Amino acid sequence: MKKLISILDLSIDEIDKIFSIADIEKKLYQQYNNALEGKMLGNFFFQPSTRTQFSLQAAFMKLGGKVISCSDINQTRSGPPYFEPLDDMGHIVSSYCDIVAMRTINDMDTKLFVREMTVPFISAGSGNIEHPTQALVDLFSIKKYYKQINNNNILIIGTPRQRTINSFILGLSRYKNINVHILSQSGVYLMDEVFSKCSSINIAYYSSWEELISANILSSISIVYVDKIFNETKEYNYFIIQKDYLELMNKDVLILHPLPRTKELPKHIDVMPGAYYYRQAELGMYVRYALFLYFMNII
Ligand code: CP
């Protein structure tokens, strides 16, 4: 039974297979028209979502499937007053659905939910630990833009203890010759459980743009991955991406953001040649489309 909880649950061959299907984009609708007719997705989001929730739902329905959804755990018996254990809920919904996608506030909830499941499961974001489908989208965006994922120097701007960055870095660890530079608050590093699994990539930390500039690496950056800064402090303004800094890089440097954005990515960056985040969100639907086809044994 296929389960996607960590991006590392997928081998490089599986990722390649998903990307080769996602690559046909809109033609997927014709090629796999009604491939999921008669199938039911359980789409459970116990934390807010725009992109992941709706792209999963849209992809499944465009393939001819049907969706039952719930966005409030308090509307289930796993909320008060019964607090039905989530492993029981996973057991029960396995008899109603052919596949389940779920976002949880707490990573332990995801692990408990899948314990007794008998149908495929896709994590749509698990606490602050992993967001594997977002990592697929991020990697696929790089592949679309540069035709390959190997051989990239990546600047990540954002607190390196969030599920998007964790899964992105773990996904990158599958590829060759990857250097990651992280700009964030000083003293905030990747979680040990993430760092220990990505020894194949070089990681360096910086706590200011000045530090990055004096390290003389900006001209070698091929991808800027912007994400949120948590625990806002007066340092915050330091990390807002500036056109001046982007201009120290290659003129069409790829700019990614999993979205939603806050202050760290001002609207005026949207006109930069490599600003790719709306396209990245669009590609998310094709990736999830291909993921369903793979998890439902159609490809
Ligand atoms: N990137 C992402 O997970 O966005 P949503 O929270 O809107 O799904």
Side-chain angles (χ1 to χ4, degrees):
M1 195 59 54
K2 294 190 182 88
K3 291 193 171 54
L4 178 61
I5 298 173
S6 166
I7 185 65
L8 296 179
D9 292 337
L10 292 172
S11 69
I12 194 95
D13 288 346
E14 291 176 302
I15 292 175
D16 284 347
K17 185 172 188 164
I18 290 162
F19 287 176
S20 69
I21 298 298
D23 198 41
I24 61 178
E25 298 196 20
K26 288 199 171 96
K27 290 195 189 114
L28 274 162
Y29 309 144
Q30 292 133 31
Q31 200 162 327
Y32 293 98
N33 187 24
N34 286 334
L36 292 183
E37 195 171 3
K39 301 293 182 196
M40 180 67 75
L41 165 70
N43 208 29
F44 305 130
F45 276 74
F46 300 138
Q47 211 184 26
S49 166
T50 298
R51 280 144 289 273
T52 318
Q53 178 175 206
F54 298 143
S55 62
L56 284 165
Q57 188 162 337
F60 205 81
M61 292 175 81
K62 283 184 181 219
L63 283 164
K66 291 197 164 65
V67 181
I68 55 170
S69 58
C70 179
S71 55
D72 181 359
I73 201 160
N74 295 322
Q75 297 299 316
T76 75
R77 289 304 198 186
S78 294
Y82 291 95
F83 297 104
E84 181 177 34
L86 282 168
D87 48 350
D88 271 3
M89 185 177 171
H91 192 128
I92 301 297
V93 299
S94 291
S95 37
Y96 305 154
C97 302
D98 301 286
I99 184 167
V100 171
M102 185 169 178
R103 174 173 288 188
T104 58
I105 295 171
N106 188 319
D107 183 54
M108 292 312 294
D109 288 349
T110 303
K111 295 200 166 87
L112 187 59
F113 185 84
V114 299
R115 198 179 282 170
E116 294 190 23
M117 284 196 72
T118 53
V119 296
F121 175 82
I122 294 173
S123 166
S126 184
N128 65 343
I129 304 295
E130 278 219 50
H131 191 346
T133 68
Q134 182 63 48
L136 282 176
V137 175
D138 302 338
L139 297 171
F140 185 58
S141 299
I142 296 171
K143 192 167 168 63
K144 278 293 218 188
Y145 195 78
Y146 284 125
K147 311 284 181 240
Q148 65 157 0
I149 301 169
N150 297 323
N151 306 318
N152 273 299
N153 281 338
I154 302 165
L155 171 60
I156 295 177
I157 305 170
T159 306
R161 301 179 77 83
Q162 51 189 310
R163 61 190 177 202
T164 40
I165 293 179
N166 292 342
S167 288
F168 182 47
I169 291 182
L170 289 170
L172 288 169
S173 72
R174 293 263 193 238
Y175 296 88
K176 295 195 181 77
N177 192 23
I178 300 288
N179 298 297
V180 171
H181 306 271
I182 300 176
L183 173 62
S184 183
Q185 303 101 314
S186 58
V188 181
Y189 306 113
L190 284 168
M191 295 169 179
D192 289 344
E193 63 201 275
V194 174
F195 184 70
S196 63
K197 292 179 193 151
C198 54
S199 55
S200 61
I201 52 184
N202 301 311
I203 299 176
Y205 296 95
Y206 307 82
S207 56
S208 70
W209 279 100
E210 287 73 14
E211 217 182 303
L212 265 170
I213 290 166
S214 51
N216 217 10
I217 52 109
L218 290 182
S219 60
S220 70
I221 296 294
S222 48
I223 299 161
V224 182
Y225 187 96
V226 192
D227 208 342
K228 287 163 282 301
I229 304 280
F230 287 123
N231 302 323
E232 190 168 337
T233 68
K234 61 180 191 275
E235 288 173 289
Y236 186 94
N237 287 343
Y238 250 57
F239 302 111
I240 293 176
I241 186 123
Q242 310 273 356
K243 241 177 167 173
D244 292 353
Y245 297 134
L246 287 171
E247 281 164 4
L248 296 173
M249 304 175 206
N250 189 319
K251 76 171 171 27
D252 50 7
V253 63
L254 174 62
I255 307 166
L256 298 174
H257 192 310
L259 301 177
R261 62 173 134 194
T262 54
K263 286 186 288 190
E264 72 283 351
L265 181 65
K267 277 297 264 184
H268 68 259
I269 301 297
D270 295 2
V271 298
M272 298 289 285
Y276 204 71
Y277 24 92
Y278 288 127
R279 172 85 170 127
Q280 182 184 359
E282 180 198 354
L283 293 175
M285 187 165 70
Y286 307 129
V287 167
R288 293 180 178 110
Y289 210 117
L291 186 62
F292 280 135
L293 290 170
Y294 179 58
F295 266 44
M296 301 299 285
N297 298 320
I298 289 164
I299 56 168

